[in-house]
Amino acid sequence: MQQRLVIPRLSVMMFMQFFVWGAWYATAGLALSKYGLSSIIGTAYSVGAIASIIAPFFLGMIVDRFFASEQVMGLLHCVGGLLLWVVGKQVEAGSGTTLLWILFLYMLCYMPTLALSNNVAFHHIADAAKTFPMIRVFGTIGWIVAGILIGQLGYSDSSVIFYISAIASVLQGVFSFTLPHTPAPAKGKPLSARDLLCLDALYMLKDRSYCIFIVCSMLICIPLAAYYSFASPFLEAAGFANVGIVMTIGQMSEIAFMLLIPFFFSVSA
């Protein structure tokens, strides 16, 4: 692949990565309430957090040592698309318990792709501080486009959001196999108990800047979890039309701050 085509393809990767997530995640609470499943909204959103904790302990260790990142990402998105389709069917059937288990399996597939997409991007760009924000911003644009599409089509409270996301996930999976080869970053490195227990990550907490970053990330995710779980049902109850579009306002402001990252890096250097 010619170097001049790498950045546009990585940008498309980011766009699709967050389109898949944004198509269903922002208004899933509203959709669940419309199908009589409002009692499981909190649990449905919690399984993603649980999956993001569990997945690195087995999938991350395997990918880092044996497989190319773009190939694993492609496989996970294809399998995830099939699981999301089943989620839509379970929502329509009102089968809460089965839905939660299938959604948990899906999030086990999706959450690692966030790190994998970053790994693919960082591996193929030279000046990450300047270039990565320009690539990553297309992920935010993808989320916004998904929300506007869902809102304009009138699917904010419909199970159709899962089918749209499922199709997008399979497309992202197929596209991932065409991305630049990204070899396993820890290929040949022996697996130790230190790796399994993530002690290197815990050791980094001794760094003041890293520790502040982790603490701030944890604190901001507390209101964020409540926001995504119940904002869409609240907006609908408050009389807002096209809830999917309204839910993209936060991401619209995010674009400006993300594009300012290279500037702040240069100032702090």
Side-chain angles (χ1 to χ4, degrees):
M1 181 182 297
Q2 297 180 8
Q3 184 64 29
R4 63 184 177 86
L5 295 178
V6 169
I7 291 179
R9 293 177 73 82
L10 294 177
S11 299
V12 172
M13 174 194 72
M14 283 295 179
F15 179 93
M16 291 300 298
Q17 176 72 29
F18 286 88
F19 181 98
V20 170
W21 199 6
W24 72 271
Y25 196 77
T27 63
L30 178 59
L32 291 175
S33 66
K34 289 295 182 180
Y35 287 87
L37 296 168
S38 57
S39 62
I40 67 166
I41 292 176
T43 308
Y45 277 90
S46 297
V47 297
I50 297 171
S52 66
I53 295 173
I54 295 175
F57 283 101
F58 60 94
L59 188 58
M61 301 298 173
I62 295 173
V63 173
D64 281 352
R65 285 165 175 77
F66 301 107
F67 300 103
S69 296
E70 81 282 357
Q71 295 175 3
V72 177
M73 185 166 66
L75 177 62
L76 291 176
H77 272 297
C78 287
V79 173
L82 297 177
L83 291 171
L84 266 182
W85 194 274
V86 178
V87 168
K89 293 296 183 183
Q90 295 304 313
V91 170
E92 294 170 352
S95 181
T97 302
T98 304
L99 185 158
L100 290 173
W101 280 109
I102 300 298
L103 188 59
F104 175 66
L105 292 176
Y106 168 71
M107 296 305 278
L108 281 176
C109 291
Y110 181 82
M111 284 302 178
T113 65
L114 293 170
L116 289 170
S117 61
N118 287 338
N119 187 46
V120 171
F122 279 116
H123 187 79
H124 296 283
I125 56 178
D127 191 346
K130 292 182 179 180
T131 308
F132 182 73
M134 306 302 174
I135 295 173
R136 174 56 183 81
V137 76
F138 280 92
T140 300
I141 294 173
W143 184 293
I144 292 171
V145 171
I148 292 175
L149 177 67
I150 296 299
Q152 283 292 99
L153 294 177
Y155 292 146
S156 297
D157 61 352
S158 172
S159 61
V160 175
I161 60 176
F162 297 102
Y163 300 135
I164 292 176
S165 185
I167 294 171
S169 183
V170 173
L171 291 176
Q172 168 74 333
V174 174
F175 178 72
S176 295
F177 288 110
T178 72
L179 291 169
H181 178 62
T182 309
K187 188 175 182 179
K189 180 181 177 181
L191 183 62
S192 64
R194 183 182 186 87
D195 296 322
L196 291 173
L197 297 174
C198 301
L199 294 182
D200 288 333
L202 294 176
Y203 181 79
M204 290 175 64
L205 290 173
K206 293 177 65 176
D207 184 280
R208 181 174 176 272
S209 296
Y210 181 77
C211 184
I212 292 174
F213 171 75
I214 291 299
V215 171
C216 290
S217 296
M218 181 185 70
L219 292 176
I220 199 171
C221 282
I222 295 173
L224 191 64
Y227 167 76
Y228 276 118
S229 299
F230 300 106
S232 60
F234 171 80
L235 290 173
E236 196 270 344
F240 283 88
N242 298 327
V243 173
I245 297 176
V246 178
M247 292 285 289
T248 65
I249 294 175
Q251 280 66 42
M252 291 178 183
S253 63
E254 178 183 296
I255 290 178
F257 289 99
M258 193 170 296
L259 292 176
L260 285 172
I261 289 176
F263 168 75
F264 288 118
F265 273 141
S266 65
V267 171
S268 61

